[in-house]
Amino acid sequence: MEKTKENVFGDGKKQKAGRVVEKPTNPMVTPLLNDLYQFTMAYAYWKAGKQSERSVFDLYFRKNPFGGEYTIFAGLEECIKFLANFTLTDQEIDFVRHSLPCCEEAFCDYLRGLDCSDIEVYAISEGSVVFPKVPLLRIEGPVAVVQLLETPFLNLINYASLVATNAARHRFVAGKSKLLLEFGARRAQGPDGAISASKYCYLGGFDATSNVAAGRLFGIPLRGTHSHAFVSSFMSLDEIVDKALRSSDGKTTCEDFVSLVQTCLSKIQSSALSGIFSETNKSELAAFTSYALAFPSAFLALVDTYDVMKSGIPNFCAVALALNELGYKAVGIRLDSGDLAYLSTEARKFFCGVERELNVSDFGKMIITASNDLNEETVDALNKQGHEVDAFGIGTNLVTCYSQAALGCVFKLVEINKQPRIKLSEDVTKVSIPCKKRTYRLFGKEGYPLVDIMTGENEPPPKVGERLLCRHPFNESKRAYVVPQRVEELLKCYWRGNAGEAREELEPLKEIRSRCIKQLENMRPDHMRRLNPTPYKVSVSAELYDFIHNLWLNEAPVGELH
Ligand SMILES: Nc1ncnc2c1ncn2[C@@H]1O[C@H](COP(=O)(O)OP(=O)(O)OP(=O)(O)O)[C@@H](O)[C@H]1O
Ligand SMILES: O=P(O)(O)OC[C@H]1O[C@H](OP(=O)(O)OP(=O)(O)O)[C@H](O)[C@@H]1O
Ligand SMILES: O=C(O)c1cccnc1
Ligand SMILES: [Mg+2]
């Protein structure tokens, strides 16, 4: 989002072209958030007089995370904010000078004048579904400056894309209709881990977060319940001093809400529902009653502190019924332990029983939230068993990306001074694809994306209805003809140095999230399934294929056998 107002961490910096881009969300994102070797190389480029040579780097990953066949691209907005505000302070330059093995004063002068006015960044739109080997970003500019962007860009994109993908995978398994709440702040990897997780889980399809700072920074809806501590902090109903509650229409006041709750509990106890329980825990009842007095129109109770079916659920129902008599509708419950499939089903039966036996409309529709170490597998298991959960609160496994620690985005030189460069490796998957490239997504008859194709910069773009040979970049035998029904160019200009107007606008997070959801919905189902998904095809044009392989032969020394 491009605004003229202040970022919470300070002023937005004015670009030369007049557009204002806020500072990165995290004030630690400065040019020093870098590996020493970027500065070492910048110095050596400068010393060799090479610092301004025009370079092109691609940022891409080699393998999709979580055993899947897709990734969600995230982190672009923060990269652009970083570029827009890229400058080294005198103190930072001083620190760099002392950190390098040698450093002439003139290099410090060079650093003092550095900004990103000579950099161009082409990127896939944030929130897009992306695939291995296809550049997410193409960065062009003076080699010494671009080199200083590598580590910050990778830092800003790797975790963002990983956790957004994790969120998207949780959404996929939970289904569209479930409410997904990110509860990870307490278990995230430090403050940035928490803030980034909230932002990018929302982008990846979560509905809300419990993280208040993220709510404020990004406008993400905030949601939450209460903890066991609140329940166990109560000893008895006598603790409730102010027992009065006004009805929802404000016309009447119930002077003793506690007694009303007790009457409602007796009603449930003397109904046909009484089979499951006898006496409920009265300190829990006190906690629920007190919470309802605080939030009569948003009453949601954690029901597993003592015993879900023998205490938590009947106590909750008593308070919900009392609220109902005053015109309020309780929201629901949270389950945080035990067999969530069984307990949610039993809870739903109980709610429907109350609706039927006590004639309270909609009581069966109470929202059941589940939490407790949830992940893709447990949600999938719950689905297979059958459950009545409406909302999942997911923390640790989601935000720490427990099942895969990192996405392996890399930053590779593909061209310098208009000369293509290649990085060879014994491992074919690690050979880089040289040249400044264009990339396209080709869509088939059914509207699904069929293949991504990379071409040389000056090749004509693929045309709708025209047959095109798509080749696997490294495997000679893998190739296919494609007649695209729609062609979408993937890389768009998001940063063009001084010419600030001639580039894409940064979008609000909500729009990025909508793109993500829409693109995921438009993927062919076999790419999306959790078990043995079909790989999406990533290819190069015939011309680029020949070029790569000729360059490969030129650069690879011929072995000698003795
Ligand atoms: N029906 C289910 N199928 C598969 N996994 C489930 C089901 N219900 C809950 N789980 C998961 O099983 C694990 C249960 O955790 P754990 O063994 O720590 O028990 P707990 O219910 O938290 O008990 P306690 O309250 O004593 O800690 C959690 O990860 C939870 O998400
Ligand atoms: O399990 P997660 O996916 O990380 O979700 C967040 C968890 O954090 C809260 O309790 P916490 O774990 O702090 O305490 P408890 O589970 O031991 O009650 C909450 O009750 C969830 O269990
Ligand atoms: O609001 C909640 O229920 C919540 C928030 C964070 C962690 N666990 C639960
Ligand atoms: Mg827990």
Side-chain angles (χ1 to χ4, degrees), residues 383-447:
N383 287 345
K384 285 179 178 137
Q385 293 160 41
H387 66 84
E388 284 292 335
V389 175
D390 304 294
F392 292 102
I394 315 184
T396 313
N397 288 295
L398 175 68
V399 305
T400 64
C401 296
Y402 191 83
S403 56
Q404 177 164 336
L407 178 67
C409 278
V410 295
F411 194 86
K412 296 289 166 201
L413 180 73
V414 293
E415 191 181 286
I416 191 152
N417 292 331
K418 302 219 175 286
Q419 297 303 308
R421 305 309 299 145
I422 191 167
K423 157 82 180 68
L424 298 181
S425 169
E426 298 273 312
D427 177 352
V428 171
T429 63
K430 289 197 164 182
V431 174
S432 68
I433 300 181
C435 304
K436 184 164 165 179
K437 299 176 284 291
R438 286 174 178 264
T439 61
Y440 304 90
R441 185 157 294 171
L442 310 184
F443 295 79
K445 271 201 219 97
E446 291 165 45

Side-chain angles (χ1 to χ4, degrees), residues 349-366:
K349 278 189 208 156
F350 200 94
F351 296 150
C352 291
V354 171
E355 177 168 338
R356 200 177 50 244
E357 298 296 325
L358 303 176
N359 208 9
V360 196
S361 60
D362 287 346
F363 207 92
K365 296 196 184 111
M366 226 40 99

